[in-house]
Amino acid sequence: RGGGFGRGAVIAGLARDVFWSHNDSDCQVLLRTVAGAAQHPNPLPENYLHKHVHLEILKKVKDMGSKTKADQLAGDLKWGGRSELRRVYGPFRVVLMGLRELFFDPDRLHLKAS
């Protein structure tokens, strides 16, 4: 907190130039282009997720559009703390970070290309 502005206000002010998968952002998850998917720095193995689970995640992100939030997405998929999905595949945020087709990086700010 600098200058009396909250984190949400700062993120909103930078949103035109910067993307950050933070809880205070309007959108946390983006779909990657084919070229972007090929550049994923640390993707999950192709067979990590069951095909149905993988496609369901992608469908939900497409349905949610530009307001995709990781916590809401996990809730819609019933991927909670004690769910079968978490037991089999691990924490939802880790899975999101590893999917080639999605961009989710809560640890870094990213400049948007024009």
Side-chain angles (χ1 to χ4, degrees):
R1 286 189 177 249
F5 294 103
R7 184 176 31 228
V10 172
I11 291 170
L14 296 173
R16 198 174 110 217
D17 301 316
V18 174
F19 179 77
W20 188 18
S21 300
H22 190 275
N23 288 342
D24 291 336
S25 298
D26 286 340
C27 178
Q28 293 178 298
V29 183
L30 299 173
L31 290 168
R32 290 180 186 259
T33 62
V34 174
Q39 296 176 16
H40 193 295
N42 191 22
L44 291 172
E46 290 290 330
N47 61 351
Y48 187 79
L49 289 174
H50 187 278
K51 186 172 183 126
H52 173 74
V53 175
H54 189 153
L55 292 175
E56 188 65 23
I57 292 170
L58 296 179
K59 181 183 178 306
K60 288 284 186 189
V61 171
K62 288 176 185 174
D63 290 348
M64 293 173 84
S66 65
K67 298 293 183 185
T68 304
K69 302 282 256 178
D71 291 342
Q72 183 182 358
L73 186 59
D76 288 354
L77 294 166
K78 311 279 190 279
W79 200 306
R82 293 188 174 151
S83 71
E84 183 70 14
L85 289 168
R86 182 184 170 103
R87 188 186 67 73
V88 173
Y89 301 114
F92 186 64
R93 289 175 168 263
V94 173
V95 171
L96 275 183
M97 286 189 280
L99 290 177
R100 292 177 194 272
E101 301 89 349
L102 300 180
F103 185 85
F104 177 72
D105 185 1
D107 300 326
R108 294 178 191 84
L109 292 170
H110 296 272
L111 286 175
K112 293 179 181 177
S114 54

